[in-house]
Amino acid sequence: MSIQKPKKRKTDASHTETRHVVIYGYTKQELANVMRHFESQLPDFVKITIDNSNLVTKITLTGMDSGVELLRFQMNKFHQNLNDIFSEEIVSREDKSVSQVLGELLTERDLTIACAESCTGGNLAHRITQIPGSSAYFLGSVVSYSNDVKADVLKVPRREIATHGAVSQPVAISMARGVARLMRSDCAIATTGIAGPDGGTRYKPVGTVWIAVKCRDQIVSECIHFKGSRQEVIESATNHGIVMLIKLLRNNYVLQDDFYDE
């Protein structure tokens, strides 16, 4: 007589679901204050990671449970909660960089872009061309570090530089228009500022950056006072310029209040 051993009960393998939200504009401290309540509501089986760098934040939710359908439903709910919290700051609901998002928008709309960079020193061009396929929409960049290059290559009027200074709204706008005209691009991003650690003044401290963004006939500009080291100012200005154009392309750009730095 043979004795059969009892069969072991099969256990369902855990299923993993991941959701992402990429937002722009929050410091780590600001984000901690906003996220405190949301994080307290998450169950034990959902983990959250927050990667914040130069005002770009990627929030990742990772859930693991044996019940696939229920897990998926709950993860979608938490994902939607994040979308509601950051409705005006969302750059992507997927795991994508701001450069990837910009590239997709330019490709969808069959638009081209060029850059005129002073304080960012070519970082905009570097970040844009890190994306595979960027040759389809990126035409080139002028690193107009000196005033002579701004005037002679980009055709920024010398009287604007003399009257307002190189770090000013009129110069940033003229740089964007100049590089778009030079490269024959549909869009342009221009940056001019003081990355530091030296060069700041009482009225234009280190971290002051004027950014102008152009898309066809529309052009907008902003003055931002970024904090941090020289490299952090450069990275933050790069991110801000890219996000400005993303918003312009999505038709959800909000004009900055008038700012005078004279």
Side-chain angles (χ1 to χ4, degrees):
M1 179 175 135
S2 62
I3 300 175
Q4 291 185 340
K5 293 182 179 180
K7 294 181 180 180
K8 291 183 179 180
R9 182 182 176 183
K10 292 183 179 180
T11 57
D12 293 330
S14 291
H15 177 73
T16 301
E17 289 279 331
T18 305
R19 302 290 186 273
H20 302 280
V21 173
V22 179
I23 62 174
Y24 177 78
Y26 283 86
T27 65
K28 291 180 180 180
Q29 185 57 51
E30 290 169 341
L31 200 63
N33 294 333
V34 174
M35 291 292 292
R36 189 173 292 116
H37 177 70
F38 175 81
E39 291 185 64
S40 70
Q41 304 300 308
L42 292 177
D44 292 339
F45 60 84
V46 178
K47 305 302 180 185
I48 183 170
T49 58
I50 301 174
D51 180 15
N52 179 280
S53 179
N54 302 303
L55 300 178
V56 174
T57 302
K58 181 175 74 174
I59 303 171
T60 303
L61 299 176
T62 304
M64 185 176 292
D65 197 83
S66 58
V68 177
E69 295 301 325
L70 180 58
L71 176 62
R72 189 166 293 157
F73 171 80
Q74 291 175 313
M75 291 297 289
N76 287 340
K77 180 184 69 174
F78 295 133
H79 194 217
Q80 185 58 51
N81 289 344
L82 282 177
N83 292 332
D84 293 339
I85 293 170
F86 300 108
S87 59
E88 296 181 2
E89 295 86 11
I90 289 180
V91 177
S92 178
R93 293 174 174 82
E94 300 176 65
D95 184 9
K96 295 179 180 179
S97 68
V98 293
S99 301
Q100 282 179 284
V101 175
L102 176 60
E104 289 174 358
L105 288 169
L106 292 169
T107 301
E108 289 169 5
R109 290 157 174 74
D110 195 24
L111 298 172
T112 56
I113 184 174
C115 299
E117 305 187 57
S118 186
C119 63
T120 49
N123 198 51
L124 268 167
H126 168 66
R127 291 273 298 280
I128 292 172
T129 56
Q130 280 185 312
I131 306 305
S134 55
S135 59
Y137 50 82
F138 183 72
L139 300 185
S141 176
V142 174
V143 181
S144 53
Y145 223 59
S146 74
N147 289 341
D148 285 339
V149 174
K150 290 181 179 69
D152 296 339
V153 178
L154 297 178
K155 306 306 179 185
V156 176
R158 290 185 181 272
R159 67 180 179 278
E160 288 185 354
I161 299 173
T163 302
H164 304 284
V167 181
S168 63
Q169 182 182 40
V171 170
I173 290 174
S174 292
M175 288 171 64
R177 286 177 173 152
V179 78
R181 181 172 55 247
L182 179 68
M183 303 283 183
R184 298 180 182 177
S185 65
D186 301 302
C187 304
I189 304 174
T191 60
T192 179
I194 307 162
D198 303 315
T201 67
R202 176 183 175 186
Y203 298 104
K204 297 178 183 179
V206 169
T208 302
V209 182
W210 270 102
I211 304 172
V213 169
K214 181 181 185 297
C215 185
R216 291 180 171 156
D217 295 332
Q218 189 175 9
I219 189 163
V220 295
S221 60
E222 294 184 10
C223 181
I224 309 295
H225 297 289
F226 297 109
K227 299 183 182 301
S229 66
R230 178 181 178 85
Q231 189 57 39
E232 287 172 327
V233 170
I234 290 171
E235 292 294 340
S236 295
T238 299
N239 288 337
H240 198 87
I242 292 173
V243 172
M244 282 176 67
L245 183 52
I246 288 172
K247 291 181 177 181
L248 203 62
L249 291 170
R250 287 176 171 170
N251 296 316
N252 63 359
Y253 180 85
V254 178
L255 287 173
Q256 185 187 48
D257 293 336
D258 288 340
F259 181 93
Y260 300 96
D261 64 347
E262 305 307 322

